[in-house]
Amino acid sequence: VIEAGGRLVSPGLIESHIHLDKSRILDRCPAGTKGTMDHMERISEVKHHFTVEDVHNRAGQTIEDCLLHGTMHMRTHVEVDPNGGLRGFEAITQLADEYRWAIDLDICVFAQEGWSNVPEADANIVSALKSGAPVVGGAPKFDPDPEWQIRRIFELAQEYDVDVDIHLDTG
């Protein structure tokens, strides 16, 4: 028994959907016009500038803020499109190891900008899965062949025995 002095005690919070690789980039990629879906284009224009160190620093600050607010489990989606490559995955994997003492970090690798028509995206996802990514995901709405992408996600999930997390949050 611990006397908490009337304070609330609860389990740690869970952040179920965050993109740590893209956190803290408003200075590089300002918000779009309300109601538009141009966020992918704006982010695509800056991803090629992301370095492992840059993603590590920005995402690390976000993790620390989340920890200070009680988050103890997080699923982060990490884009491995060719213009970003595996740099974000490498940085977030390092952070998962560094902060293992404080937070469980699930890394979901996916291609935001299309997958069925981008062989390099498939190669990057497979490489991340071979390196231990525990979740494979996708954004079928943004792929020229959404059915192919869904089939491929489940093929890879079965092959690598990983979880699936598909973006269905877009209209």
Side-chain angles (χ1 to χ4, degrees):
V1 175
I2 297 174
E3 177 54 48
R7 292 182 179 87
L8 171 68
V9 177
S10 73
L13 301 175
I14 298 171
E15 170 57 72
S16 62
H17 187 132
I18 192 168
H19 293 257
L20 286 173
D21 58 329
K22 298 186 294 189
S23 67
R24 301 176 185 262
I25 61 169
L26 281 177
D27 59 328
R28 305 171 203 188
C29 182
T33 308
K34 185 177 178 180
T36 65
M37 291 293 291
D38 67 342
H39 61 281
M40 286 177 35
E41 293 169 15
R42 289 181 289 110
I43 293 168
S44 181
E45 293 174 7
V46 299
K47 276 196 291 192
H48 65 280
H49 294 295
F50 293 179
T51 64
V52 173
E53 181 180 36
D54 168 52
V55 174
H56 184 278
N57 291 340
R58 290 184 291 99
Q61 290 174 14
T62 300
I63 289 171
E64 289 185 13
D65 284 348
C66 290
L67 288 171
L68 290 173
H69 290 92
T71 304
M72 295 181 73
H73 181 86
M74 181 181 288
R75 167 143 320 151
T76 182
H77 301 265
V78 178
E79 296 179 21
V80 294
D81 299 291
N83 57 348
L86 293 167
R87 296 183 299 273
F89 175 71
E90 183 180 332
I92 303 302
T93 299
Q94 289 174 10
L95 288 165
D97 289 339
E98 292 168 19
Y99 285 93
R100 185 174 315 282
W101 61 272
I103 191 167
D104 294 320
L105 190 60
D106 279 341
I107 301 171
C108 175
V109 291
F110 79 112
Q112 175 76 52
E113 300 175 25
W115 183 350
S116 64
N117 60 334
V118 186
E120 299 89 351
D122 192 71
N124 287 348
I125 288 170
V126 169
S127 179
L129 291 168
K130 285 180 178 178
S131 296
V135 185
V136 61
K141 178 183 176 175
F142 300 112
D143 196 283
D145 189 347
E147 292 82 13
W148 178 93
Q149 187 179 115
I150 292 168
R151 281 192 308 275
R152 184 66 174 144
I153 289 167
F154 282 95
E155 286 171 2
L156 291 171
Q158 186 171 17
E159 181 177 346
Y160 291 96
D161 192 26
V162 297
D163 290 338
V164 169
D165 191 321
I166 299 176
H167 282 59
L168 300 174
D169 59 342
T170 53

